[in-house]
Amino acid sequence: MKILLTGCAGFIASRVGELLLSHGHHVIGADNVNDAYDRRLKEWRLAQLRQLKGFEFHLLDIADYPKVRSLFQQHRFDAILNLAARAGVRQSIENPRVYIDTNVTGTLNLLELCKDFKVNKFVLASTSSLYGSRNPRPFVESANTDFPLSPYAASKKGAEALAATYHHLYQINGAILRYFTVYGPAGRPDMSVFRFIQQIAEGKPICVYGDGSQERDFTYVDDIARGTASAVNVSGFETINLGGDKPASLKHLIQTIEAHLGRKATIESRPFHSADMMATWADIQKAKKILDWHPHVSLDEGVQKSVEWYLQNRDWAKKIELGAL
C-alpha cells in the first residue's frame, strides 16, 4: 500500500514507518519538524527513515490545508495514519491553541481530504489521557471520556469525534488507538523515561511530582508500532486501547532505571499536578480480539533497551534539552 504517515519524525511514528517499510509498503512521511522539543531527536529519527527503501519525506504542517491538499493531489493514498500531534499534558495548559490547531484542525483537514480523494482507511493516534480521573481501572474503550483534565486530552477527544463523524457520513473505515505511556529508545525528552535516564546518568537530580506512587501502564514503542501497523486493516470504526497491561509506579520505574544504569537517583519532590492522572491501566481485550495484539516487551526489558540506546548515543543524547516540566 501507499500510506501517508503524518508526524513521521516523531517518536512513535518513526518506528511505525520503519515497520511499514519492512513490510514492503510505500510510506510518504509528513512532518513539520517543529520545536515542541529538541529537534535533534526528530532529525535523528528522520535520518533513520531516509536510509530505507520506499520512504519519501515532505516537510509540512497538517494544519496547513492547501499544502496537505497538494500532497493528496500528488499521491493516491491507500491509507492515512495520523500520528502528527502536539502531545504533553502540562505543555497544553501553557499553549492550548497550538494543540487545537494540530490535533483538531489537522485531523479535520486529513478527514476532508480522505472524503474528497476517496481514501477509505484512517488511523488516528489518541491517548489514555482521555479517561481522566473518574473511570475505574482497567480503562475500557466504552468508558466516559467527557471530563478531560487538560487541553491536550480535550483536543484528542475532538479529533476522535471528527473521525467518528466522518465514518458515519462517508463510511471511512476508522481505527482510533488510545496509547498508554509509550517509551523506548530515542523517546520524547519531556517524558519520564528519557528524562530520568539522562538525568540519572549525568548525575543530575530528577523531579517527581507527588510521592512517586502514581502508576502508569508503560508500553514499549515497538509494541505500539505493531498495533498501529495492524490497525490499517480495521473495517468499520473501532476505538482500541494499546497498553502494557501491567501498570507500574513511578518509584518502580526509577528503581529499574537505577538498576540498569548502576547509579542512584537524587530526587526532588514537588506537589502532585492537578492535570496529571493518578493511575492508568489499559483493558486490551479489544486489541487482542480485533488486532491479534498484545504487548511483548516487559518494563524491565524496555528500560534496558532505552538505557542501552542512551549510552550508545551519549555523546549527543546527553546534550538533549529536556524542556520544562
Side-chain angles (χ1 to χ4, degrees):
M1 290 193 292
K2 180 179 282 190
I3 297 172
L4 172 60
L5 176 64
T6 69
C8 67
F11 171 42
I12 298 171
S14 62
R15 297 295 293 151
V16 173
E18 290 175 5
L19 185 58
L20 291 170
L21 290 164
S22 74
H23 291 168
H25 298 299
H26 185 192
V27 176
I28 308 299
D31 202 301
N32 65 354
V33 195
N34 61 46
D35 60 357
Y37 58 81
D38 198 314
R39 291 178 55 170
R40 284 174 286 189
L41 274 167
K42 299 181 180 185
E43 291 162 355
W44 183 89
R45 300 184 198 121
L46 192 54
Q48 312 312 302
L49 282 172
R50 288 182 186 274
Q51 297 173 22
L52 302 177
K53 182 181 179 181
F55 178 73
E56 179 181 320
F57 177 66
H58 292 261
L59 182 67
L60 61 81
D61 188 334
I62 61 169
D64 188 334
Y65 180 78
K67 287 189 177 179
V68 183
R69 185 176 183 86
S70 176
L71 187 61
F72 274 73
Q73 291 170 334
Q74 295 173 47
H75 297 280
R76 183 177 179 84
F77 296 117
D78 299 298
I80 311 300
L81 271 66
N82 183 24
L83 274 68
R86 282 287 182 147
V89 168
R90 298 184 194 117
Q91 298 94 320
S92 73
I93 297 170
E94 302 299 322
N95 189 11
R97 285 184 174 81
V98 72
Y99 282 72
I100 299 302
D101 289 344
T102 301
N103 300 352
V104 181
T105 303
T107 298
L108 174 62
N109 289 343
L110 292 167
L111 287 165
E112 271 287 286
L113 293 165
C114 284
K115 176 198 71 174
D116 293 346
F117 289 86
K118 311 301 180 187
V119 182
N120 198 36
K121 292 179 181 293
F122 187 83
V123 177
L124 173 67
S126 191
T127 175
S128 61
S129 294
L130 278 174
Y131 291 113
S133 61
R134 302 189 182 190
N135 290 303
R137 296 193 303 157
F139 298 143
V140 296
E141 292 86 349
S142 58
N144 189 333
T145 59
D146 290 342
F147 302 97
L149 302 179
S150 66
Y152 167 57
S155 70
K156 280 298 189 179
K157 183 172 177 64
E160 287 193 7
L162 285 168
T165 299
Y166 275 70
H167 169 70
H168 171 72
L169 293 175
Y170 308 111
Q171 293 74 56
I172 298 171
N173 290 310
I176 292 172
L177 304 177
R178 291 179 179 162
Y179 298 151
F180 282 69
T181 314
V182 188
Y183 74 99
R188 279 174 36 207
D190 58 319
M191 294 188 71
S192 58
V193 175
F194 185 104
R195 176 182 291 270
F196 289 169
I197 289 173
Q198 188 203 70
Q199 291 174 325
I200 296 171
E202 307 309 327
K204 299 176 181 178
I206 65 174
C207 175
V208 174
Y209 285 84
D211 63 3
S213 64
Q214 59 264 47
E215 292 185 336
R216 293 292 180 267
D217 201 356
F218 294 100
T219 318
Y220 190 66
V221 65
D222 288 0
D223 285 332
I224 290 289
R226 282 191 301 104
T228 304
S230 297
V232 171
N233 300 313
V234 167
S235 296
F237 187 84
E238 300 286 352
T239 301
I240 304 171
N241 289 334
L242 294 182
D245 197 29
K246 290 185 178 179
S249 70
L250 206 58
K251 285 181 181 177
H252 179 72
L253 171 67
I254 294 167
Q255 291 166 355
T256 305
I257 293 172
E258 289 175 331
H260 287 292
L261 278 173
R263 296 194 65 164
K264 295 292 289 183
T266 301
I267 298 174
E268 294 181 351
S269 297
R270 296 184 187 176
F272 189 76
H273 199 289
S274 61
D276 285 340
M277 297 168 66
M278 189 61 199
T280 65
W281 180 9
D283 183 304
I284 59 171
Q285 295 309 306
K286 282 188 73 174
K288 290 178 179 178
K289 180 179 179 180
I290 295 172
L291 303 178
D292 191 25
W293 180 92
H294 65 275
H296 291 168
V297 181
S298 69
L299 180 61
D300 184 70
E301 181 184 355
V303 167
Q304 179 182 359
K305 291 176 181 289
S306 303
V307 167
E308 288 173 350
W309 178 89
Y310 179 83
L311 295 177
Q312 289 166 3
N313 295 275
R314 190 174 185 177
D315 58 332
W316 64 274
K318 68 181 180 182
K319 301 173 186 176
I320 293 294
E321 296 179 8
L322 303 178
L325 276 172

